[in-house]
Amino acid sequence: MKVTKQEISDVLLIKPDSFEDSRGFFFESYSKKKYQEFGIGEALLQDNVSFSKRHVLRGLHFQSNNPQGKLVYVLQGRVFDVAVDIRRGSPTFKKWVGFELSGKNKMQLWIPPGFAHGFCVLSESALLCYKCSNYYDPGAEVSLAWNDPSIGINWPIDDPLLSEKDDNLPSIDEIDQNLLPIF
């Protein structure tokens, strides 16, 4: 397994060992013991699966209470996956990192608690999985505008397909700053 630290503290890009031959492939998508060695000490309590079609953009979402760390990977298709540092007082506040995750490259992105998360689908469809360090709490969910100019994410699609919920969201500067985690 290869783990690469990113310019934003605690965000990790992970390449699990994969074993492939003419029959297909096998890789270990998670091992608590191995991931703890790289600083992912949170217990991962909930698994989620998202299926989306080409140009669907989901995000930017986070939980104000009971924040979730997320280990994100794609089983089928390709996505551009983004983590945004929304921790008040962080030296990288409003900075983002984005990576192509795909069923082919088997890359994983560790997004620690205190970050907003979003992704867009680059292939015909994508099956995305993520393990969460806390349970989903609908009363604590907060969303930010995917195209917030103060964050400036360089999305690789121009006209995303958005849910009603994600279509008209406030910028990070327009939401109650008490909803943002503290660094």
Side-chain angles (χ1 to χ4, degrees), residues 3 10 12 26 32 52 103 126 137 154-155 177:
V3 177
D10 302 324
L12 302 173
F26 170 86
K32 182 178 179 178
S52 302
D137 180 353
N154 187 18
W155 294 100
Q177 297 299 289

Side-chain angles (χ1 to χ4, degrees), residues 57-61 143-148 159-171:
L57 190 149
R58 298 184 187 269
L60 300 165
H61 305 147
S143 299
L144 303 172
W146 65 275
N147 58 352
D148 181 342
D159 193 20
L161 299 172
L162 302 166
S163 69
E164 256 184 72
K165 177 179 94 173
D166 288 346
D167 197 20
N168 292 303
L169 294 170
S171 72

Side-chain angles (χ1 to χ4, degrees), residues 6 28 45 55-56 108 133 152 170 183:
Q6 300 304 306
E28 191 174 73
L45 306 176
H55 292 169
V56 165
Q108 298 177 325
S133 66
F183 179 66

Side-chain angles (χ1 to χ4, degrees), residues 12-171:
L12 302 173
L13 189 62
I14 302 164
K15 175 67 173 159
D17 295 328
S18 179
F19 305 95
E20 299 182 36
D21 62 24
S22 61
R23 301 167 297 155
F25 69 87
F26 170 86
F27 78 96
E28 191 174 73
S29 63
Y30 176 73
S31 167
K32 182 178 179 178
K33 186 170 93 174
K34 286 182 183 177
Y35 284 64
Q36 281 180 327
E37 292 175 20
F38 296 103
I40 302 174
E42 290 87 353
L44 298 177
L45 306 176
Q46 179 177 316
D47 284 2
N48 298 320
V49 176
S50 173
F51 176 82
S52 302
K53 297 178 180 180
R54 180 184 300 276
H55 292 169
V56 165
L57 190 149
R58 298 184 187 269
L60 300 165
H61 305 147
F62 68 97
Q63 288 188 177
S64 59
N65 295 318
N66 310 311
Q68 294 177 308
K70 296 177 180 177
L71 180 64
V72 183
Y73 58 99
V74 172
L75 289 176
Q76 184 178 2
R78 296 182 312 125
V79 306
F80 182 69
D81 202 82
V82 174
V84 180
D85 187 351
I86 57 167
R87 301 169 296 173
R88 290 179 289 157
S90 168
T92 54
F93 181 66
K94 294 187 186 180
K95 301 291 185 206
W96 63 275
V97 291
F99 301 95
E100 184 176 305
L101 307 179
S102 71
K104 186 174 182 174
N105 72 19
K106 298 171 191 61
M107 300 297 286
Q108 298 177 325
L109 185 60
W110 169 246
I111 303 168
F115 284 71
H117 173 243
F119 67 91
C120 66
V121 178
L122 304 174
S123 53
E124 198 60 40
S125 63
L127 187 60
L128 181 133
C129 301
Y130 53 105
K131 301 179 90 48
C132 299
S133 66
N134 214 329
Y135 297 108
Y136 174 64
D137 180 353
E141 184 177 32
V142 182
S143 299
L144 303 172
W146 65 275
N147 58 352
D148 181 342
S150 72
I151 296 172
I153 297 171
N154 187 18
W155 294 100
I157 60 174
D158 293 324
D159 193 20
L161 299 172
L162 302 166
S163 69
E164 256 184 72
K165 177 179 94 173
D166 288 346
D167 197 20
N168 292 303
L169 294 170
S171 72

